[in-house]
Amino acid sequence: MVSKNDLVKELYPEDLYGYAEGLTDGEVEVLQEVREALETHVRPVITDYWEKADFPFAEFKKVTDVGIMNNPKLYVGREGERKPRELYTAFLYLELARFDASIATFYTVHGGLCYNTILLGGNERQIEEFAPKLASFEWQGCFGLTEPDHGSDIAGGLATSARREGNNWILNGEKRWIGGADTADVIPIFARDVEDNRIKCFIVRKGAEGYSADPIPHKGSLRAIRNGHIVMKDVVVPEADRLENINGFRDVSRILVRTRADVAHIAMGISAGAFVAALKYVKQREQFGKSIASFQLVQEKLSRMQANVVANIGYSVRIAQLQEEGRELMLNSALAKMHNSLNMRETVALAREVCGGNGITLETDVMRFFADAEAIYTYEGTHEVNALIVSRELTGIGAFV
Ligand SMILES: Cc1cc2nc3c(=O)[nH]c(=O)nc-3n(C[C@H](O)[C@H](O)[C@H](O)COP(=O)(O)OP(=O)(O)OC[C@H]3O[C@@H](n4cnc5c(N)ncnc54)[C@H](O)[C@@H]3O)c2cc1C
């Protein structure tokens, strides 16, 4: 029988320092099943879906059927918990993103942003209603914060309005870039209460009257996930579907602290995926009668990519450990997101470079990672916004405006 440590080496050869050895046997088994489901069901279709700008719902369902959020193997010794361990989550993102960034993004919107919004913002009744169905993927979730006119300045600028009328709230406004907005069952919408000016969160349910979401066309990055432009005209949400623990942007930030770390993990996974694909290619390609992997200039790039990947895994694993201990800080998440995204951007460029002309086709995989990295660099706080968060801590001076 293969030992756990041998198995993780086989699954993640790019994890040179062996961070994955901290996973439990059950967690590794689930990740191995995820790998098999991705390779068997999603691999044959992913480039076609990327090209036609659509999400492979039926094929991805085979991956979620593994129980990526709720498989009992993830809860051994921690029965009653609502979430798998953070280290597993980091490696789940590695697994998904080293395969495809749109798949990982779909998951982060559902299992990261939406799920954490329910857990952190909902009362017991709401958590009981939504969390199990989200964890089993019976319901699809999304996350409506960004607006057409407010991205980086959303904290102060959020313009979607919520007006209370008896036992209901009336929502008006627009949201942009919302992953899965046209298919989701559970749509948390952040809106400003016209009475007290505070940001609150309302669960809009699929089919709500006055809600429409059109996929944003002509994207050149993350083409395999549909990002919606939402318009809400007098959408009615009952008070019972307002998440009562969200009463201002400070509460939204508690969600973003977690999800920013998730996106650092996605950047780690993309770096790993691009590196692994590039390494495979250079070993096969010959020029000047020799394998291009034998050229010193190519080898230097391979080493740089490998170093970036190990550094990114290191950041992700440490932040996962801190989260597990309840030591979550926006500074840590912002630093990890910033660091891993910068390294990712360099890694995908090097990966594309060593694949030459074939590196600009979808055949070698690196082009998908190269194009998709741009969206990850921007979402969940742009590079600049995360850098400003880090430097605010360093200097004590907020330099956003
Ligand atoms: C593919 C994708 C998926 C997304 N999914 C979701 C989702 O599911 N839900 C959701 O709510 N949102 C989502 N977003 C939105 C995302 O979080 C925003 O795009 C991001 O916050 C940046 O906002 P913006 O695009 O409006 O850029 P802007 O804020 O307009 O920024 C443009 C540029 O100006 C810079 N800039 C802005 N302010 C400053 C400053 N003070 N100092 C220095 N530079 C500054 C930025 O860093 C950036 O380089 C998604 C975005 C993308 C691209």
Side-chain angles (χ1 to χ4, degrees), residues 105 109 113 143-148 150-153 176-179 219 221-222 227 375 378-385 388 399-401:
T105 297
V109 171
L113 287 160
F143 182 83
L145 178 64
T146 305
E147 301 184 347
H150 298 288
S152 301
D153 71 352
R176 189 161 171 83
W177 292 114
I178 313 308
K219 281 191 302 161
S221 180
L222 289 183
N227 291 95
T378 287
Y379 75 52
E380 203 46 68
T382 63
H383 166 74
E384 290 75 16
V385 164
L388 289 171
F400 291 88
V401 281

Side-chain angles (χ1 to χ4, degrees), residues 322-342:
L322 291 170
Q323 280 185 313
E324 192 69 42
E325 293 166 12
R327 293 158 69 196
E328 299 172 313
L329 283 181
M330 184 56 96
L331 170 67
N332 294 339
S333 298
L335 188 65
K337 199 273 173 174
M338 185 191 85
H339 171 272
N340 284 8
S341 302
L342 272 176

Side-chain angles (χ1 to χ4, degrees), residues 62-354:
K62 305 275 201 254
V63 179
T64 61
D65 283 350
V66 168
I68 60 178
M69 292 174 74
N70 65 357
N71 191 311
K73 289 178 190 167
L74 304 173
Y75 294 88
V76 175
R78 43 200 312 281
E79 289 74 13
E81 294 280 343
R82 294 274 186 196
K83 285 175 71 186
R85 283 198 321 142
E86 298 295 341
L87 186 66
Y88 162 81
T89 298
F91 276 89
L92 176 64
Y93 278 112
L94 174 64
E95 184 60 47
L96 297 176
R98 86 201 273 289
F99 179 84
D100 179 74
S102 299
I103 299 279
T105 297
F106 184 91
Y107 175 68
T108 200
V109 171
H110 173 93
L113 287 160
C114 182
Y115 197 65
N116 279 306
T117 301
I118 299 291
L119 294 188
L120 292 170
N123 57 30
E124 270 312 307
R125 177 187 53 78
Q126 290 164 330
I127 292 174
E128 210 37 64
E129 178 183 0
F130 294 108
K133 289 203 170 75
L134 288 169
S136 66
F137 287 83
E138 186 180 335
W139 283 349
Q140 184 205 323
C142 70
F143 182 83
L145 178 64
T146 305
E147 301 184 347
D149 295 332
H150 298 288
S152 301
D153 71 352
I154 192 70
L158 194 145
T160 298
S161 68
R163 183 169 38 84
R164 182 138 189 185
E165 270 186 16
N167 257 346
N168 289 327
W169 293 84
I170 314 298
L171 305 188
N172 279 287
E174 293 181 32
K175 297 284 174 185
R176 189 161 171 83
W177 292 114
I178 313 308
D182 60 330
T183 48
D185 304 283
V186 180
I187 308 148
I189 292 288
F190 295 86
R192 195 178 291 281
D193 181 349
V194 294
E195 277 295 312
D196 63 11
N197 215 28
R198 287 188 167 184
I199 292 172
K200 297 182 176 163
C201 185
F202 304 86
I203 303 296
V204 173
R205 295 180 189 240
K206 190 178 200 153
E209 214 169 302
Y211 172 94
S212 64
D214 291 321
I216 296 173
H218 312 309
K219 281 191 302 161
S221 180
L222 289 183
R223 285 181 60 77
I225 179 172
R226 301 207 294 252
N227 291 95
H229 186 116
I230 296 174
V231 175
M232 287 163 292
K233 287 197 182 123
D234 293 329
V235 174
V236 178
V237 177
E239 164 65 6
D241 280 353
R242 179 177 69 83
L243 299 183
E244 66 178 41
N245 295 323
I246 295 177
N247 290 296
F249 205 82
R250 197 175 284 267
D251 295 327
V252 182
S253 288
R254 289 192 297 130
I255 303 166
L256 299 182
V257 168
R258 286 191 181 173
T259 54
R260 208 151 270 180
D262 291 346
V263 179
H265 303 331
I266 294 179
M268 154 183 73
I270 292 174
S271 314
F275 166 58
V276 169
L279 183 60
K280 182 173 159 208
Y281 180 83
V282 299
K283 284 179 176 171
Q284 289 163 355
R285 175 79 173 167
E286 287 193 358
Q287 287 294 289
F288 299 94
K290 290 166 77 178
S291 161
I292 62 170
S294 71
F295 297 131
Q296 289 179 344
L297 292 177
V298 171
Q299 289 204 356
E300 189 272 344
K301 288 174 186 138
L302 294 175
S303 297
R304 259 162 75 195
M305 285 188 266
Q306 173 68 83
N308 285 349
V309 170
V310 169
N312 282 1
I313 301 175
Y315 264 82
S316 274
V317 165
R318 182 63 189 139
I319 202 154
Q321 290 167 338
L322 291 170
Q323 280 185 313
E324 192 69 42
E325 293 166 12
R327 293 158 69 196
E328 299 172 313
L329 283 181
M330 184 56 96
L331 170 67
N332 294 339
S333 298
L335 188 65
K337 199 273 173 174
M338 185 191 85
H339 171 272
N340 284 8
S341 302
L342 272 176
N343 262 358
M344 164 192 69
R345 227 184 186 193
E346 182 184 72
T347 308
V348 296
L350 289 169
R352 208 230 42 81
E353 198 174 307
V354 297

